[in-house]
């Protein structure tokens, strides 16, 4: 029987401070302290984020250990987000993890945040299947849009990614144009459910291969709204559901077309999505429909593992621990981390 290993995971790549405790691949606790301050500014302010992490990290780790029902001395390893992310935020989590691993004299494991979004599917969760290797992963978030071929826990290769803005950025900017508070992506999704997705036509950007581009779409939406508002100042208010449904429709088309192309090119029909935007109901529905349409097998993570959280850092940490892949205390946090 496999020996029980307790892993403490720390996630601090952006504006949420997360700590989780895993027993092997099972999550015992997953605590997130959200930072409300950024809502006032309509986006994340890096300096404020790192200060809030400093205030939150000790209580968040304490609560995670309490909820898991273990002591610090029971831990087998500490794992943390090395990057990519906001430098100041990453440094808080990295410094804390290093100090604690030294104090407890247990292994330290650095994790790539993007690998964690993909491997969140391997958390042992009732009612959720795990993909088998190789599979295709589409990571969609505020900062990233990638299609990745996943060969093993430690062997992944990017097949396509955004050449400019990420899909989450397209949602956030559209939300801002429509006057929604930050973060506005979930509000677009909510309104889209009541609207006509074919009310307004937007064109898909022409991008070679499996790469993406969303900056042109953002500009297209901005000009369209400005033009319509000039004709009718109440255009947004009167047509909000249809606008949101049409925007969501074009984004889903862009994502699904690229996934179809990736399946054609690789012959792999297991598709997993991850990242904050994978919480979007329209994208989840479109992906699920491919199971009956094309015979694919799809994997959608549990809602709490889509946005930034420490449990996904912990699952990567567990598999690296199992494989004996550790970091030394010279490891440095990196805002941009090679995939």
């Amino acid at each position: 029987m496999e020996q029980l290993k307790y892993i403490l995971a720390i996630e601090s790549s952006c504006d949420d401070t997360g700590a989780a405790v895993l027993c092997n691949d099972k999550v015992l606790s997953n605590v997130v302290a959200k930072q409300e301050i950024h809502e006032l500014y309509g986006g994340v302010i890096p300096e404020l984020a790192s200060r809030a992490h400093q205030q939150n990290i000790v209580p968040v780790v304490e609560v995670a250990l309490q909820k898991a029902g273990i002591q610090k001395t029971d831990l087998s390893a500490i794992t943390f987000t090395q990057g990519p992310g906001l430098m100041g935020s990453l440094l808080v989590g990295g410094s804390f993890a290093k100090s604690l691993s030294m104090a407890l004299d247990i292994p330290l494991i650095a994790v790539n945040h993007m690998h964690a979004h993909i491997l969140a599917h391997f958390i042992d969760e009732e009612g959720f299947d795990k993909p088998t290797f190789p599979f295709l992963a589409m990571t969609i978030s505020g900062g990233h849009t990638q299609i990745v071929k996943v060969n093993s826990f430690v062997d992944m290769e990017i097949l396509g990614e955004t050449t400019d803005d990420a899909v989450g950025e397209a949602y956030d900017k559209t939300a801002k144009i429509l006057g929604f508070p930050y973060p506005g992506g979930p509000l677009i999704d909510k309104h889209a459910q009541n609207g006509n997705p074919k009310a307004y036509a937007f064109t898909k950007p022409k991008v070679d291969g499996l790469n993406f581009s969303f900056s042109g779409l953002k500009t297209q939406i901005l000009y369209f709204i400005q033009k319509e508002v000039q004709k009718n100042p109440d255009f947004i208010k009167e047509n909000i559901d249809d606008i949101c449904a049409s925007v969501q429709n074009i984004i889903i088309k862009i994502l699904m077309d690229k996934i179809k192309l990736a399946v054609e090119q690789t012959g792999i029909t297991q598709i997993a999505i991850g990242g904050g935007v994978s919480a979007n109901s329209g994208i989840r529905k479109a992906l699920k429909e491919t199971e009956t349409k094309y015979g694919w097998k799809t994997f959608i993570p549990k809602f709490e593992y889509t946005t930034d959280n420490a449990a996904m850092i912990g699952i990567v940490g567990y598999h690296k621990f199992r494989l004996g892949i550790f970091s030394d205390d010279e490891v440095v946090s990196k805002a941009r981390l090679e995939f």
Side-chain angles (χ1 to χ4, degrees), residues 5 11 30 62 67 86 88 103 106 113 116 138 152 175 193 220 223 228 261 271 291 306 314 318:
K5 298 292 178 193
E11 152 58 20
N30 189 26
E62 278 183 355
K67 283 192 170 178
L86 300 175
I106 55 175
H113 183 84
M138 183 166 69
S152 77
Q193 290 169 49
Q220 210 186 129
Y223 288 166
E228 294 300 326
L261 186 57
I271 319 294
E291 295 198 325
T306 54
Y318 165 67

Side-chain angles (χ1 to χ4, degrees), residues 23 41 59 70 93 126 263 267 317:
C23 177
Y41 300 94
I70 66 160
E126 213 176 305
V263 170

Side-chain angles (χ1 to χ4, degrees), residues 216-229:
L217 179 65
K218 286 191 329 187
T219 309
Q220 210 186 129
I221 293 163
L222 174 67
Y223 288 166
F224 165 74
I225 298 289
Q226 284 176 341
K227 200 174 119 197
E228 294 300 326
V229 167

Side-chain angles (χ1 to χ4, degrees), residues 164-166 169-175 177 201-205 213-228 247 250-251 254:
D164 42 57
D165 300 323
E169 171 83 353
Y171 270 108
D172 285 341
K173 280 287 177 335
T174 302
I177 294 163
F202 298 104
T203 55
K204 278 188 297 190
S213 168
F214 288 98
S215 66
L217 179 65
K218 286 191 329 187
T219 309
Q220 210 186 129
I221 293 163
L222 174 67
Y223 288 166
F224 165 74
I225 298 289
Q226 284 176 341
K227 200 174 119 197
E228 294 300 326
V247 168
I250 189 71
I251 288 173
I254 293 166

Side-chain angles (χ1 to χ4, degrees), residues 47 57 60 81 83 85 112 121 146 161-162 172 178 188 197 224 230 254 273 279 301 303 312 316 328 333 339:
E47 173 64 24
I57 196 149
V60 163
T81 304
N112 184 314
H121 290 276
Q146 293 176 333
E161 59 189 334
T162 182
D172 285 341
L178 296 174
I188 292 178
F224 165 74
Q230 271 182 335
I254 293 166
I273 58 168
F303 194 79
M312 68 180 195
V316 184
D328 59 28
S333 299
F339 190 83

